[in-house]
């Protein structure tokens, strides 16, 4: 359940370290973002000498949440941190080349199979 | 154990607190079974040595709790202070038989050959897609067998196209061929993109422009996957 002002870790090697959500995309006045949703975020912390800098506004996909994700078969998955993956451009291609940490397979249903194919582990 | 700890919670009667990531072995039994206690997650093996999955079951707490088996109503006692990671396969099998609960079965035992048959069908599909890309003059076409590494796909088809209209043409050709011959329709990018992805379920197709192919370098990431030899000659990107 990511909302405005939420700090998220960055799960790829695009250059950012932390993002703060400033808007949840999907509908007007939408309150929360879950795994597989796109948010608009601002870079709050970045690695030096990389293309992404602090206070840049970017779009990102949420890949892990501390709020548990319930599946239809009755199981649920919960991660230890909130993390997002930085997505470039209106085309939707990821900015980084590798993803860190596990991701949930619900991303595949939201048409983010590109992120899933770069992930080291899919839960 | 990776540093991201995942808490897998089950909605069941047992008050077990699992504090570590559980990855289950796939039992070699012929039936497809879902173990009631935890979610089976297969790790994609980036190291060639990590082929089989280890079952790491955490230490259960000291307290003796009476847990009622929901189906039979019989009560059974929790294992007291047993370090389950020391047990080997046979002991775990015994434990599973005693305390485990089969939630979902296939019914009849699956013959061993069926997996191989499924793979053969998917392989013909993947090669047919590669051939479709070749007809439209795609370059550096590769078919990777990724089933031992990841669980969500069997084959990857990678291709390079030199312009977006060519990407579009390859995509359309593949879609038409898949509909006609195999009755599969893909999910994924409908508009041509510098990295276009077509997801046919078991087979995932990646079509890149030359710059993106070098940038994302999927072959390096899936370096442990076996490359399937194709029946045509590959064009090289100049």
């Amino acid at each position: 359940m990511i909302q405005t002002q939420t700090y998220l870790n960055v799960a790829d090697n695009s250059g950012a370290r932390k993002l703060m959500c400033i808007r949840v995309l999907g509908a007007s006045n939408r309150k929360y973002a879950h795994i597989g949703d796109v948010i608009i975020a601002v870079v709050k912390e970045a690695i030096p000498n990389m293309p992404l800098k602090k206070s840049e506004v970017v779009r990102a996909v949420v890949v892990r949440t501390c709020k548990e994700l319930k599946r239809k078969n009755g199981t649920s998955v919960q991660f230890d941190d909130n993390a997002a993956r930085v997505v470039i451009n209106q085309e939707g291609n990821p900015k980084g080349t590798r993803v860190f940490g596990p991701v949930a397979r619900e991303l595949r249903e939201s048409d983010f199979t590109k992120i899933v194919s770069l992930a080291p582990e899919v839960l | 154990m990776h540093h991201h700890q995942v808490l897998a919670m089950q909605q069941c009667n047992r008050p077990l607190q699992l504090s570590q990531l559980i990855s289950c072995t796939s039992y070699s039994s012929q039936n497809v079974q879902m173990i009631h206690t935890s979610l089976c997650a297969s790790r994609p093996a980036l190291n060639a040595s990590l082929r089989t999955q280890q079952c790491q079951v955490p230490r259960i707490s000291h307290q003796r709790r009476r847990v009622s088996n929901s189906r039979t109503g019989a009560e059974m006692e929790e294992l007291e202070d047993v370090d389950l990671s020391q047990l080997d396969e046979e002991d775990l099998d015994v434990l599973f038989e005693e305390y485990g609960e089969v939630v979902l079965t296939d019914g009849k035992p699956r013959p061993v050959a069926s997996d191989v048959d499924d793979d053969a069908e998917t392989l013909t599909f993947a090669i047919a897609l590669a051939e479709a890309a070749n007809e439209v003059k795609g370059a550096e076409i590769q078919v990777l067998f990724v089933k031992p590494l990841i669980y969500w796909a069997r084959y990857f088809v990678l291709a390079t196209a030199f312009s977006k209209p060519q990407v579009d043409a390859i995509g359309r050709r593949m879609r038409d061929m898949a509909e006609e011959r195999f009755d599969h329709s893909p999910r994924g990018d409908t508009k041509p993109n510098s990295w276009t992805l077509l997801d046919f379920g078991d087979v995932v197709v990646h079509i890149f422009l030359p710059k993106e192919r070098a940038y994302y370098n999927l072959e390096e990431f899936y370096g442990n996957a076996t490359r399937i030899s194709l029946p045509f000659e590959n064009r090289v990107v100049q």
Side-chain angles (χ1 to χ4, degrees), chain A residues 75, chain B residues 8-12 14 16 18 22 24 34-40 57 96 99-101 103:
Chain A
T75 52
Chain B
M9 298 180 356
Q10 321 80 256
Q11 296 168 3
C12 66
R14 297 170 197 223
L16 279 175
L18 304 172
I22 295 178
C24 281
M34 237 167 62
I35 300 171
H36 191 54
T37 51
S38 59
L39 174 67
C40 279
V57 185
F96 173 67
Y99 299 113
E101 205 176 302
V103 175

Side-chain angles (χ1 to χ4, degrees), chain A residues 64 74 76 78 80 91 93-98 102 105 108-109 111 113-114 116-118 120-123, chain B residues 2 4-7 9 11 44 151-152 164 187 189 193-195 197 199 201 215-218 221-222:
Chain A
R64 293 193 281 275
S76 48
Q78 179 185 8
D80 263 358
E91 289 182 338
N93 283 344
K95 194 158 192 159
T97 53
R98 298 289 180 258
R105 76 178 97 107
R108 199 177 179 190
E109 275 110 55
D111 278 343
T113 318
K114 289 174 188 171
V116 177
S117 60
L118 291 171
E121 185 165 4
V122 182
L123 292 178
Chain B
H2 56 75
H4 289 268
Q5 294 192 343
V6 175
L7 302 172
M9 298 180 356
Q11 296 168 3
Y151 72 88
W152 49 275
K164 285 200 178 160
R187 308 179 57 133
D189 296 324
N193 216 333
S194 41
W195 176 6
L197 192 141
D199 186 6
Y215 181 65
Y216 292 111
N217 210 349
L218 275 187
F221 195 60
Y222 290 98

Side-chain angles (χ1 to χ4, degrees), chain B residues 13-84:
Chain B
N13 289 335
R14 297 170 197 223
L16 279 175
Q17 296 298 319
L18 304 172
S19 60
Q20 287 174 343
L21 176 72
I22 295 178
S23 38
C24 281
T25 59
S26 49
Y27 286 82
S28 57
S29 62
Q30 299 298 316
N31 293 331
V32 171
Q33 295 176 343
M34 237 167 62
I35 300 171
H36 191 54
T37 51
S38 59
L39 174 67
C40 279
S42 62
R43 296 183 98 132
L46 292 181
N47 296 323
S49 57
L50 211 74
R51 289 278 175 233
T52 56
Q53 293 140 24
Q54 302 295 319
C55 191
Q56 297 168 8
V57 185
R59 186 187 289 271
I60 296 182
S61 73
H62 283 282
Q63 299 162 9
R64 257 197 137 135
R65 278 167 295 180
R66 300 213 156 239
V67 177
S68 72
N69 186 332
S70 56
R71 215 192 268 171
T72 65
E75 287 194 342
M76 59 183 191
E77 287 174 355
E78 284 257 34
L79 297 162
E80 195 183 359
D81 198 15
V82 171
D83 194 355
L84 292 173

Side-chain angles (χ1 to χ4, degrees), chain A residues 10 13 17 21 33 38 40 44 48 50 55 57 66 69 90 101 109 117-118 121 123:
Chain A
V10 175
N13 58 355
R17 275 256 189 253
C21 173
V38 181
I40 299 191
K44 283 294 194 183
M50 294 285 267
S55 43
V57 176
C66 291
L69 169 75
Q90 305 297 327
E109 275 110 55
S117 60
L118 291 171
E121 185 165 4
L123 292 178

Side-chain angles (χ1 to χ4, degrees), chain A residues 4-123:
Chain A
T4 316
Q5 300 288 317
T6 304
Y7 265 64
L8 301 116
N9 296 329
V10 175
D12 68 354
N13 58 355
S14 54
R17 275 256 189 253
K18 286 210 188 278
L19 299 175
M20 185 178 82
C21 173
I22 55 178
R23 188 80 181 149
V24 176
L25 293 180
S28 77
N29 211 18
R30 183 165 171 184
K31 290 196 170 31
Y32 304 115
H34 299 278
I35 292 179
D37 293 332
V38 181
I39 59 171
I40 299 191
V42 60
V43 178
K44 283 294 194 183
E45 207 182 290
I47 300 175
N49 305 325
M50 294 285 267
L52 263 192
K53 305 262 178 269
K54 194 174 153 199
S55 43
E56 249 186 70
V57 176
V58 293
R59 285 180 178 230
V61 179
V62 180
V63 298
R64 293 193 281 275
T65 47
C66 291
K67 179 72 182 161
E68 67 274 357
L69 169 75
K70 289 188 182 172
R71 294 198 169 135
K72 292 222 166 79
N73 58 4
T75 52
S76 48
V77 182
Q78 179 185 8
F79 297 93
D80 263 358
D81 70 336
N82 292 319
R85 179 117 170 36
V86 178
V87 171
I88 195 184
N89 66 31
Q90 305 297 327
E91 289 182 338
N93 283 344
K95 194 158 192 159
T97 53
R98 298 289 180 258
V99 179
F100 303 130
V103 298
R105 76 178 97 107
E106 270 71 12
L107 287 174
R108 199 177 179 190
E109 275 110 55
S110 320
D111 278 343
F112 288 112
T113 318
K114 289 174 188 171
I115 299 176
V116 177
S117 60
L118 291 171
E121 185 165 4
V122 182
L123 292 178

